[in-house]
Amino acid sequence: MIDFLVSVFMIKPINLFECESLAKQQLSSMTWGYYSSGALDEITLKNNRKSFNNYQLYPKVLVDVSQINLSTKLLGQTLSMPIGVAPMAFQCLAHPHGEKATAKVLSDLKSLLILSTLSTTSLEEVAACQENNLRWFQLYIHKDKGLTKALVERAEKAGYTAICVTVDAPMLGKREIDIKNQFTLPEPLKLANLVTLKDLDIPNSSNQSGLFAYFQQQIDPSLTWKDLEWLQSITKLPIVLKGILRADDARLAVENGVKSIIVSNHGGRQLDGAITTLEALPKIVEAVGNDIDIIMDGGIRRGTDVFKALALGAKAVLIGRPILWGLTVNGEAGVNHVLELLKDELLLAMALSGCPSVTEINDSFLIKS
């Protein structure tokens, strides 16, 4: 009914919080729980959002802001705005068009999409939806290195321009709502990138979530920096690491030939009590400077949040859950609306702060509370 009202009467959420509220009314309790929950007591999940309140904006005046330039570059590719989409599994739980709808929007907006290994649409189908190649493939390194190699080769062949390795999930964080709901993929949804391998589907489990069982069975917990050498030996694509929170790990990433890092705590879904991404960002920027492209995700709900992340040194940010809310509410149009809301809010924040270009945003525009 809500989807009908949005489509027919053009009722649109005016911010991401309204979009979240509408999505909650439409999703099943199992899907809502999977999308919205964090690990254990959800301390990190909540603090990701709260951390933005620790910084006040410090605007300049009498600056010509008649023209605002939102463009930025990641790995040499130009994005129309410093806002991309984080890798998120199982988007067809939100809408039948799932990852394809999200991909089409990012293609139209000329910004970055990172596709999850655990997508419900194959990486080839998603690539076919995009006219530009601003797409990276997120990789979980499986115990079966042959499978991992095959995924990398498929991504390279399909025109993905980077491999984004998730490094903060050697084991799955304990998400109690998923355990309570015994989360699994409902029929007919499948792990589309692994559809030919029946034993790699999300299993049913009577005492834990199916995703937890999958990680126990398939994801390699022995992954170390040495494995990056193997990965680099099988692909010419640049390697991005997602899940960096420490400055020393960021330096190691540079030393090991990584081209970009994503400062991320997995949306508060892994180690509960971990530092927030906004808190982690300044020390990482100080440690690696301009040696590597730094991206950040976690808790972003307003254009001013994007501005603060950029001011602390991120070149771009990634949005996760809000994309799922938009997808739920109105499919492709809903995803577009979410990103346009953030884009417009960022433009306004830049104008009111006296900052006409993304490249001019720096920490002089912030005061820590």
Side-chain angles (χ1 to χ4, degrees):
M1 175 59 74
I2 293 172
D3 194 29
F4 173 80
L5 289 172
V6 171
S7 299
V8 175
F9 297 105
M10 301 299 290
I11 298 172
K12 290 186 177 181
I14 64 170
N15 57 51
L16 271 56
F17 302 105
E18 286 194 0
C19 190
E20 179 179 358
S21 179
L22 289 171
K24 184 177 181 179
Q25 297 175 53
Q26 289 185 249
L27 293 170
S28 70
S29 59
M30 185 182 74
T31 299
W32 171 257
Y34 171 71
Y35 282 162
S36 65
S37 65
L40 296 179
D41 297 311
E42 300 187 335
I43 294 169
T44 299
L45 172 65
K46 295 167 185 173
N47 286 346
N48 268 351
R49 180 79 204 109
K50 292 177 182 177
S51 64
F52 288 95
N53 294 330
N54 295 333
Y55 291 89
Q56 297 176 29
L57 298 174
Y58 194 43
K60 295 180 179 180
V61 297
L62 295 177
V63 176
D64 182 357
V65 291
S66 58
Q67 299 292 325
I68 301 291
N69 184 358
L70 293 177
S71 66
T72 190
K73 283 190 175 182
L74 291 176
L75 302 185
Q77 292 183 294
T78 300
L79 282 64
S80 67
M81 60 181 179
I83 304 169
V85 171
M88 294 171 288
F90 316 145
Q91 292 183 36
C92 287
L93 284 171
H95 191 277
H97 296 165
E99 292 88 358
K100 289 192 287 186
T102 303
K104 288 178 181 178
V105 172
L106 271 295
S107 179
D108 290 343
L109 293 177
K110 294 181 173 58
S111 196
L112 175 66
L113 170 75
I114 307 180
L115 182 72
S116 172
T117 292
L118 303 181
S119 61
T120 39
T121 309
S122 74
L123 63 91
E124 290 86 0
E125 289 179 281
V126 170
C129 292
Q130 291 194 291
E131 293 183 2
N132 63 57
N133 64 345
L134 291 170
R135 54 180 179 272
W136 299 351
F137 182 70
Q138 178 271 333
L139 181 70
Y140 283 116
I141 294 185
H142 289 67
K143 294 175 183 177
D144 182 344
K145 291 297 193 292
L147 167 63
T148 302
K149 185 173 184 287
L151 286 169
V152 171
E153 290 173 345
R154 286 172 59 192
E156 193 165 353
K157 183 178 179 181
Y160 290 79
T161 54
I163 299 296
C164 175
V165 183
T166 294
V167 294
D168 62 357
M171 299 179 183
L172 199 71
K174 188 175 182 181
R175 305 166 193 174
E176 293 178 345
I177 291 178
D178 285 349
I179 296 171
K180 181 179 179 181
N181 291 333
Q182 295 180 25
F183 172 80
T184 192
L185 277 180
E187 294 288 347
L189 299 183
K190 300 289 182 182
L191 299 181
N193 292 319
L194 309 166
V195 71
T196 60
L197 302 166
K198 294 182 180 179
D199 60 330
L200 289 183
D201 206 354
I202 300 296
N204 289 303
S205 179
S206 60
N207 59 359
Q208 59 190 3
S209 79
L211 189 58
F212 186 89
Y214 177 89
F215 266 69
Q216 282 187 313
Q217 295 169 13
Q218 307 297 344
I219 304 303
D220 188 357
S222 69
L223 187 68
T224 69
W225 292 100
K226 291 182 179 179
D227 293 286
L228 290 183
E229 295 179 19
W230 169 79
L231 186 59
Q232 289 162 335
S233 74
I234 64 169
T235 182
K236 295 179 181 179
L237 294 180
I239 304 300
V240 178
L241 298 187
K242 178 179 180 290
I244 301 294
L245 291 173
R246 293 173 58 110
D248 52 357
D249 279 342
R251 281 302 326 163
L252 282 170
V254 173
E255 292 166 11
N256 281 273
V258 172
K259 301 305 181 184
S260 177
I261 59 173
I262 302 172
V263 180
S264 174
N265 55 33
H266 219 105
R269 293 161 71 80
Q270 282 298 104
L271 177 63
D272 196 29
I275 188 173
T276 72
T277 51
L278 198 69
E279 291 169 327
L281 183 59
K283 287 186 177 180
I284 289 174
V285 171
E286 182 182 0
V288 301
N290 295 320
D291 295 341
I292 198 169
D293 287 344
I294 301 172
I295 306 167
M296 195 202 88
D297 68 14
I300 293 165
R301 298 293 183 271
R302 288 287 191 183
T304 49
D305 300 337
V306 180
F307 187 96
K308 291 174 183 179
L310 299 179
L312 291 175
K315 289 195 72 174
V317 301
L318 300 176
I319 309 302
R321 291 178 177 93
I323 298 299
L324 300 172
W325 309 151
L327 193 59
T328 299
V329 170
N330 202 21
E332 184 179 334
V335 173
N336 184 76
H337 184 58
V338 162
L339 288 168
E340 289 289 352
L341 281 171
L342 278 176
K343 178 182 176 181
D344 290 347
E345 288 182 5
L346 173 60
L347 190 151
L348 181 61
M350 290 171 63
L352 296 180
S353 295
C355 191
S357 172
V358 164
T359 58
E360 297 177 50
I361 302 175
N362 58 56
D363 61 5
S364 72
F365 290 95
L366 297 183
I367 294 179
K368 191 167 186 179
S369 301

Tab-separated table of all heavy atoms in Angstrom, residues 43-94:
chain	number	residue	atom	x	y	z
A	43	ILE	N	26.070	-1.053	20.268
A	43	ILE	CA	26.730	0.167	20.738
A	43	ILE	C	27.400	0.892	19.579
A	43	ILE	O	27.237	2.104	19.398
A	43	ILE	CB	27.760	-0.180	21.838
A	43	ILE	CG1	27.040	-0.721	23.073
A	43	ILE	CG2	28.605	1.043	22.192
A	43	ILE	CD1	27.964	-1.336	24.102
A	44	THR	N	28.169	0.154	18.788
A	44	THR	CA	28.869	0.777	17.667
A	44	THR	C	27.891	1.273	16.612
A	44	THR	O	28.079	2.346	16.029
A	44	THR	CB	29.874	-0.211	17.050
A	44	THR	OG1	30.824	-0.575	18.048
A	44	THR	CG2	30.610	0.398	15.870
A	45	LEU	N	26.848	0.488	16.364
A	45	LEU	CA	25.816	0.912	15.417
A	45	LEU	C	25.265	2.279	15.804
A	45	LEU	O	25.152	3.188	14.962
A	45	LEU	CB	24.693	-0.121	15.388
A	45	LEU	CG	23.433	0.245	14.595
A	45	LEU	CD1	23.743	0.368	13.116
A	45	LEU	CD2	22.328	-0.786	14.824
A	46	LYS	N	24.926	2.467	17.079
A	46	LYS	CA	24.352	3.732	17.537
A	46	LYS	C	25.394	4.846	17.559
A	46	LYS	O	25.109	5.992	17.196
A	46	LYS	CB	23.741	3.544	18.920
A	46	LYS	CG	22.552	2.586	18.941
A	46	LYS	CD	22.169	2.185	20.349
A	46	LYS	CE	21.068	1.127	20.337
A	46	LYS	NZ	20.789	0.592	21.702
A	47	ASN	N	26.617	4.506	17.976
A	47	ASN	CA	27.658	5.539	18.081
A	47	ASN	C	28.132	6.038	16.723
A	47	ASN	O	28.594	7.171	16.616
A	47	ASN	CB	28.843	5.009	18.893
A	47	ASN	CG	28.544	4.937	20.379
A	47	ASN	OD1	27.567	5.517	20.854
A	47	ASN	ND2	29.370	4.228	21.121
A	48	ASN	N	28.047	5.192	15.702
A	48	ASN	CA	28.382	5.668	14.358
A	48	ASN	C	27.592	6.926	14.024
A	48	ASN	O	28.114	7.887	13.456
A	48	ASN	CB	28.072	4.586	13.321
A	48	ASN	CG	29.245	3.683	13.025
A	48	ASN	OD1	30.368	3.930	13.444
A	48	ASN	ND2	28.991	2.618	12.295
A	49	ARG	N	26.328	6.889	14.363
A	49	ARG	CA	25.459	8.031	14.079
A	49	ARG	C	25.762	9.208	15.017
A	49	ARG	O	25.860	10.360	14.589
A	49	ARG	CB	23.993	7.586	14.225
A	49	ARG	CG	22.985	8.670	13.958
A	49	ARG	CD	22.763	8.918	12.478
A	49	ARG	NE	22.271	10.264	12.246
A	49	ARG	CZ	22.975	11.229	11.689
A	49	ARG	NH1	24.214	11.027	11.309
A	49	ARG	NH2	22.454	12.419	11.507
A	50	LYS	N	25.922	8.897	16.311
A	50	LYS	CA	26.124	9.954	17.306
A	50	LYS	C	27.430	10.713	17.099
A	50	LYS	O	27.536	11.888	17.462
A	50	LYS	CB	26.105	9.358	18.715
A	50	LYS	CG	24.757	8.819	19.158
A	50	LYS	CD	24.861	8.183	20.547
A	50	LYS	CE	23.549	7.598	21.000
A	50	LYS	NZ	23.679	6.914	22.333
A	51	SER	N	28.423	10.054	16.541
A	51	SER	CA	29.758	10.661	16.451
A	51	SER	C	29.758	11.936	15.602
A	51	SER	O	30.607	12.815	15.803
A	51	SER	CB	30.761	9.657	15.887
A	51	SER	OG	30.437	9.293	14.559
A	52	PHE	N	28.822	12.060	14.681
A	52	PHE	CA	28.772	13.271	13.860
A	52	PHE	C	28.423	14.500	14.691
A	52	PHE	O	28.760	15.629	14.313
A	52	PHE	CB	27.771	13.096	12.712
A	52	PHE	CG	28.255	12.148	11.651
A	52	PHE	CD1	27.893	10.815	11.672
A	52	PHE	CD2	29.104	12.584	10.647
A	52	PHE	CE1	28.346	9.937	10.712
A	52	PHE	CE2	29.572	11.713	9.679
A	52	PHE	CZ	29.199	10.382	9.706
A	53	ASN	N	27.761	14.292	15.832
A	53	ASN	CA	27.405	15.419	16.698
A	53	ASN	C	28.612	15.962	17.454
A	53	ASN	O	28.506	17.008	18.105
A	53	ASN	CB	26.326	14.999	17.694
A	53	ASN	CG	25.012	14.665	17.021
A	53	ASN	OD1	24.686	15.215	15.971
A	53	ASN	ND2	24.253	13.749	17.604
A	54	ASN	N	29.745	15.262	17.381
A	54	ASN	CA	30.953	15.720	18.078
A	54	ASN	C	31.673	16.834	17.330
A	54	ASN	O	32.666	17.373	17.822
A	54	ASN	CB	31.922	14.549	18.281
A	54	ASN	CG	31.357	13.491	19.208
A	54	ASN	OD1	30.529	13.783	20.080
A	54	ASN	ND2	31.779	12.255	19.032
A	55	TYR	N	31.186	17.152	16.128
A	55	TYR	CA	31.808	18.208	15.325
A	55	TYR	C	30.772	19.255	14.950
A	55	TYR	O	29.678	18.927	14.504
A	55	TYR	CB	32.420	17.631	14.049
A	55	TYR	CG	33.636	16.772	14.298
A	55	TYR	CD1	33.498	15.404	14.539
A	55	TYR	CD2	34.912	17.330	14.312
A	55	TYR	CE1	34.618	14.615	14.768
A	55	TYR	CE2	36.033	16.545	14.544
A	55	TYR	CZ	35.879	15.190	14.769
A	55	TYR	OH	36.981	14.414	15.012
A	56	GLN	N	31.147	20.519	15.144
A	56	GLN	CA	30.307	21.632	14.712
A	56	GLN	C	30.899	22.230	13.433
A	56	GLN	O	32.130	22.264	13.262
A	56	GLN	CB	30.256	22.711	15.795
A	56	GLN	CG	29.638	22.246	17.105
A	56	GLN	CD	29.693	23.325	18.169
A	56	GLN	OE1	29.676	24.517	17.860
A	56	GLN	NE2	29.761	22.917	19.424
A	57	LEU	N	30.036	22.701	12.565
A	57	LEU	CA	30.491	23.347	11.342
A	57	LEU	C	30.921	24.784	11.641
A	57	LEU	O	30.339	25.467	12.493
A	57	LEU	CB	29.376	23.321	10.300
A	57	LEU	CG	28.928	21.921	9.857
A	57	LEU	CD1	27.725	22.010	8.933
A	57	LEU	CD2	30.065	21.174	9.174
A	58	TYR	N	31.947	25.230	10.926
A	58	TYR	CA	32.578	26.533	11.170
A	58	TYR	C	32.662	27.267	9.836
A	58	TYR	O	33.689	27.260	9.157
A	58	TYR	CB	33.966	26.277	11.761
A	58	TYR	CG	34.657	27.461	12.386
A	58	TYR	CD1	33.989	28.364	13.204
A	58	TYR	CD2	36.024	27.654	12.165
A	58	TYR	CE1	34.640	29.418	13.791
A	58	TYR	CE2	36.698	28.703	12.743
A	58	TYR	CZ	36.009	29.592	13.559
A	58	TYR	OH	36.667	30.651	14.146
A	59	PRO	N	31.553	27.909	9.427
A	59	PRO	CA	31.443	28.414	8.046
A	59	PRO	C	32.186	29.723	7.790
A	59	PRO	O	32.344	30.558	8.681
A	59	PRO	CB	29.934	28.610	7.893
A	59	PRO	CG	29.453	28.895	9.279
A	59	PRO	CD	30.315	28.071	10.189
A	60	LYS	N	32.620	29.864	6.541
A	60	LYS	CA	33.128	31.137	6.035
A	60	LYS	C	31.980	31.896	5.369
A	60	LYS	O	31.003	31.288	4.933
A	60	LYS	CB	34.224	30.897	4.991
A	60	LYS	CG	35.477	30.245	5.523
A	60	LYS	CD	36.488	30.052	4.396
A	60	LYS	CE	37.764	29.412	4.901
A	60	LYS	NZ	38.757	29.225	3.794
A	61	VAL	N	32.127	33.215	5.255
A	61	VAL	CA	31.111	34.022	4.575
A	61	VAL	C	31.748	34.834	3.462
A	61	VAL	O	32.976	34.920	3.342
A	61	VAL	CB	30.371	34.955	5.558
A	61	VAL	CG1	29.611	34.143	6.594
A	61	VAL	CG2	31.353	35.917	6.234
A	62	LEU	N	30.889	35.429	2.647
A	62	LEU	CA	31.304	36.254	1.517
A	62	LEU	C	32.248	35.511	0.583
A	62	LEU	O	33.294	36.013	0.160
A	62	LEU	CB	31.919	37.574	2.007
A	62	LEU	CG	30.942	38.502	2.746
A	62	LEU	CD1	31.655	39.733	3.257
A	62	LEU	CD2	29.781	38.884	1.843
A	63	VAL	N	31.858	34.282	0.297
A	63	VAL	CA	32.554	33.450	-0.670
A	63	VAL	C	31.593	33.213	-1.833
A	63	VAL	O	30.402	32.955	-1.614
A	63	VAL	CB	32.976	32.103	-0.049
A	63	VAL	CG1	33.610	31.200	-1.098
A	63	VAL	CG2	33.928	32.328	1.118
A	64	ASP	N	32.093	33.275	-3.056
A	64	ASP	CA	31.253	33.043	-4.225
A	64	ASP	C	30.895	31.562	-4.308
A	64	ASP	O	31.747	30.718	-4.595
A	64	ASP	CB	31.997	33.473	-5.490
A	64	ASP	CG	31.144	33.299	-6.755
A	64	ASP	OD1	30.010	32.792	-6.666
A	64	ASP	OD2	31.637	33.658	-7.841
A	65	VAL	N	29.638	31.245	-4.023
A	65	VAL	CA	29.178	29.858	-4.096
A	65	VAL	C	28.065	29.720	-5.134
A	65	VAL	O	27.199	28.850	-5.026
A	65	VAL	CB	28.708	29.349	-2.707
A	65	VAL	CG1	29.882	29.193	-1.764
A	65	VAL	CG2	27.638	30.278	-2.112
A	66	SER	N	28.111	30.579	-6.151
A	66	SER	CA	27.108	30.498	-7.210
A	66	SER	C	27.259	29.234	-8.037
A	66	SER	O	26.307	28.770	-8.676
A	66	SER	CB	27.186	31.730	-8.114
A	66	SER	OG	28.488	31.854	-8.680
A	67	GLN	N	28.476	28.667	-8.041
A	67	GLN	CA	28.741	27.405	-8.726
A	67	GLN	C	29.388	26.453	-7.724
A	67	GLN	O	30.428	26.778	-7.147
A	67	GLN	CB	29.670	27.618	-9.923
A	67	GLN	CG	29.123	28.538	-11.000
A	67	GLN	CD	27.933	27.936	-11.730
A	67	GLN	OE1	27.872	26.722	-11.954
A	67	GLN	NE2	26.966	28.767	-12.094
A	68	ILE	N	28.758	25.293	-7.521
A	68	ILE	CA	29.284	24.301	-6.585
A	68	ILE	C	29.764	23.083	-7.378
A	68	ILE	O	29.011	22.512	-8.175
A	68	ILE	CB	28.208	23.858	-5.569
A	68	ILE	CG1	27.684	25.060	-4.770
A	68	ILE	CG2	28.776	22.792	-4.632
A	68	ILE	CD1	28.661	25.660	-3.810
A	69	ASN	N	31.002	22.685	-7.144
A	69	ASN	CA	31.584	21.527	-7.822
A	69	ASN	C	31.644	20.338	-6.859
A	69	ASN	O	32.419	20.344	-5.900
A	69	ASN	CB	32.987	21.872	-8.331
A	69	ASN	CG	33.607	20.742	-9.138
A	69	ASN	OD1	33.018	19.667	-9.300
A	69	ASN	ND2	34.806	20.969	-9.645
A	70	LEU	N	30.823	19.330	-7.120
A	70	LEU	CA	30.749	18.152	-6.249
A	70	LEU	C	31.653	17.006	-6.701
A	70	LEU	O	31.727	15.987	-6.022
A	70	LEU	CB	29.301	17.635	-6.192
A	70	LEU	CG	28.257	18.521	-5.527
A	70	LEU	CD1	26.882	17.862	-5.635
A	70	LEU	CD2	28.594	18.788	-4.079
A	71	SER	N	32.322	17.141	-7.820
A	71	SER	CA	33.061	16.007	-8.372
A	71	SER	C	34.308	15.682	-7.564
A	71	SER	O	34.901	16.548	-6.910
A	71	SER	CB	33.446	16.293	-9.825
A	71	SER	OG	34.376	17.355	-9.901
A	72	THR	N	34.702	14.415	-7.622
A	72	THR	CA	35.931	13.952	-6.981
A	72	THR	C	36.489	12.801	-7.796
A	72	THR	O	35.861	12.354	-8.758
A	72	THR	CB	35.658	13.510	-5.525
A	72	THR	OG1	36.907	13.296	-4.850
A	72	THR	CG2	34.841	12.229	-5.469
A	73	LYS	N	37.669	12.317	-7.421
A	73	LYS	CA	38.276	11.193	-8.124
A	73	LYS	C	38.657	10.093	-7.142
A	73	LYS	O	39.150	10.364	-6.046
A	73	LYS	CB	39.526	11.645	-8.891
A	73	LYS	CG	39.245	12.384	-10.177
A	73	LYS	CD	40.514	12.579	-10.997
A	73	LYS	CE	40.204	13.205	-12.350
A	73	LYS	NZ	41.426	13.352	-13.193
A	74	LEU	N	38.406	8.851	-7.567
A	74	LEU	CA	38.855	7.673	-6.832
A	74	LEU	C	39.556	6.750	-7.812
A	74	LEU	O	39.000	6.406	-8.856
A	74	LEU	CB	37.674	6.938	-6.188
A	74	LEU	CG	36.959	7.627	-5.029
A	74	LEU	CD1	35.756	6.806	-4.595
A	74	LEU	CD2	37.909	7.834	-3.849
A	75	LEU	N	40.772	6.375	-7.491
A	75	LEU	CA	41.573	5.517	-8.362
A	75	LEU	C	41.614	6.042	-9.791
A	75	LEU	O	41.572	5.288	-10.764
A	75	LEU	CB	41.034	4.076	-8.343
A	75	LEU	CG	40.987	3.390	-6.968
A	75	LEU	CD1	40.555	1.940	-7.126
A	75	LEU	CD2	42.324	3.481	-6.255
A	76	GLY	N	41.668	7.351	-9.915
A	76	GLY	CA	41.776	7.975	-11.221
A	76	GLY	C	40.473	8.130	-11.963
A	76	GLY	O	40.432	8.748	-13.035
A	77	GLN	N	39.374	7.599	-11.415
A	77	GLN	CA	38.070	7.715	-12.063
A	77	GLN	C	37.305	8.898	-11.466
A	77	GLN	O	37.284	9.094	-10.249
A	77	GLN	CB	37.245	6.445	-11.872
A	77	GLN	CG	37.799	5.235	-12.602
A	77	GLN	CD	36.890	4.031	-12.437
A	77	GLN	OE1	36.729	3.498	-11.339
A	77	GLN	NE2	36.268	3.606	-13.520
A	78	THR	N	36.670	9.678	-12.320
A	78	THR	CA	35.918	10.850	-11.868
A	78	THR	C	34.498	10.463	-11.476
A	78	THR	O	33.772	9.848	-12.261
A	78	THR	CB	35.867	11.928	-12.965
A	78	THR	OG1	37.210	12.331	-13.283
A	78	THR	CG2	35.083	13.141	-12.496
A	79	LEU	N	34.104	10.835	-10.267
A	79	LEU	CA	32.740	10.656	-9.780
A	79	LEU	C	32.039	12.003	-9.803
A	79	LEU	O	32.653	13.032	-9.505
A	79	LEU	CB	32.723	10.096	-8.354
A	79	LEU	CG	32.973	8.615	-8.122
A	79	LEU	CD1	34.384	8.221	-8.543
A	79	LEU	CD2	32.747	8.258	-6.658
A	80	SER	N	30.761	12.000	-10.105
A	80	SER	CA	30.015	13.254	-10.156
A	80	SER	C	29.807	13.844	-8.772
A	80	SER	O	29.533	15.043	-8.639
A	80	SER	CB	28.646	13.029	-10.816
A	80	SER	OG	27.828	12.195	-9.998
A	81	MET	N	29.923	13.008	-7.747
A	81	MET	CA	29.748	13.468	-6.373
A	81	MET	C	30.511	12.506	-5.456
A	81	MET	O	30.754	11.350	-5.825
A	81	MET	CB	28.262	13.500	-5.993
A	81	MET	CG	27.570	12.164	-6.089
A	81	MET	SD	25.809	12.284	-5.651
A	81	MET	CE	25.272	10.579	-5.898
A	82	PRO	N	30.879	12.950	-4.266
A	82	PRO	CA	31.680	12.114	-3.369
A	82	PRO	C	30.819	11.160	-2.535
A	82	PRO	O	31.103	10.910	-1.361
A	82	PRO	CB	32.391	13.142	-2.491
A	82	PRO	CG	31.391	14.251	-2.377
A	82	PRO	CD	30.696	14.320	-3.721
A	83	ILE	N	29.778	10.641	-3.136
A	83	ILE	CA	28.838	9.745	-2.451
A	83	ILE	C	28.641	8.517	-3.327
A	83	ILE	O	28.149	8.622	-4.456
A	83	ILE	CB	27.478	10.420	-2.197
A	83	ILE	CG1	27.639	11.722	-1.416
A	83	ILE	CG2	26.538	9.461	-1.450
A	83	ILE	CD1	26.370	12.570	-1.357
A	84	GLY	N	29.029	7.353	-2.831
A	84	GLY	CA	28.825	6.101	-3.534
A	84	GLY	C	28.008	5.146	-2.691
A	84	GLY	O	27.524	5.499	-1.614
A	85	VAL	N	27.865	3.930	-3.194
A	85	VAL	CA	27.048	2.929	-2.505
A	85	VAL	C	27.926	1.781	-2.034
A	85	VAL	O	28.673	1.186	-2.822
A	85	VAL	CB	25.916	2.416	-3.414
A	85	VAL	CG1	25.208	1.230	-2.791
A	85	VAL	CG2	24.910	3.536	-3.674
A	86	ALA	N	27.828	1.478	-0.749
A	86	ALA	CA	28.602	0.411	-0.122
A	86	ALA	C	28.104	-0.954	-0.585
A	86	ALA	O	26.952	-1.097	-1.020
A	86	ALA	CB	28.478	0.512	1.400
A	87	PRO	N	28.951	-1.977	-0.479
A	87	PRO	CA	28.495	-3.326	-0.822
A	87	PRO	C	27.497	-3.831	0.214
A	87	PRO	O	27.768	-3.797	1.416
A	87	PRO	CB	29.791	-4.154	-0.788
A	87	PRO	CG	30.706	-3.395	0.118
A	87	PRO	CD	30.368	-1.953	-0.073
A	88	MET	N	26.340	-4.266	-0.259
A	88	MET	CA	25.294	-4.781	0.623
A	88	MET	C	24.711	-6.047	0.027
A	88	MET	O	24.327	-6.063	-1.152
A	88	MET	CB	24.187	-3.742	0.817
A	88	MET	CG	24.627	-2.507	1.564
A	88	MET	SD	23.342	-1.238	1.522
A	88	MET	CE	23.446	-0.723	-0.191
A	89	ALA	N	24.632	-7.074	0.823
A	89	ALA	CA	24.106	-8.355	0.363
A	89	ALA	C	22.583	-8.310	0.245
A	89	ALA	O	21.915	-7.466	0.846
A	89	ALA	CB	24.510	-9.457	1.336
A	90	PHE	N	22.062	-9.213	-0.569
A	90	PHE	CA	20.642	-9.580	-0.559
A	90	PHE	C	19.692	-8.412	-0.821
A	90	PHE	O	18.666	-8.254	-0.155
A	90	PHE	CB	20.257	-10.235	0.770
A	90	PHE	CG	21.226	-11.258	1.287
A	90	PHE	CD1	21.440	-11.401	2.645
A	90	PHE	CD2	21.928	-12.092	0.421
A	90	PHE	CE1	22.320	-12.341	3.137
A	90	PHE	CE2	22.825	-13.035	0.911
A	90	PHE	CZ	23.021	-13.163	2.263
A	91	GLN	N	19.981	-7.592	-1.826
A	91	GLN	CA	19.136	-6.428	-2.079
A	91	GLN	C	17.772	-6.799	-2.650
A	91	GLN	O	16.830	-6.010	-2.560
A	91	GLN	CB	19.864	-5.448	-2.998
A	91	GLN	CG	21.069	-4.804	-2.339
A	91	GLN	CD	21.750	-3.774	-3.205
A	91	GLN	OE1	21.110	-3.032	-3.952
A	91	GLN	NE2	23.071	-3.704	-3.111
A	92	CYS	N	17.637	-7.988	-3.206
A	92	CYS	CA	16.321	-8.412	-3.711
A	92	CYS	C	15.344	-8.729	-2.592
A	92	CYS	O	14.149	-8.933	-2.854
A	92	CYS	CB	16.473	-9.612	-4.651
A	92	CYS	SG	17.169	-9.189	-6.264
A	93	LEU	N	15.819	-8.759	-1.354
A	93	LEU	CA	14.892	-8.832	-0.227
A	93	LEU	C	14.087	-7.538	-0.108
A	93	LEU	O	12.964	-7.537	0.398
A	93	LEU	CB	15.655	-9.070	1.085
A	93	LEU	CG	16.193	-10.467	1.357
A	93	LEU	CD1	17.097	-10.441	2.587
A	93	LEU	CD2	15.057	-11.463	1.562
A	94	ALA	N	14.678	-6.430	-0.551
A	94	ALA	CA	14.021	-5.130	-0.455
A	94	ALA	C	13.086	-4.876	-1.623
A	94	ALA	O	12.022	-4.268	-1.460
A	94	ALA	CB	15.069	-4.019	-0.379
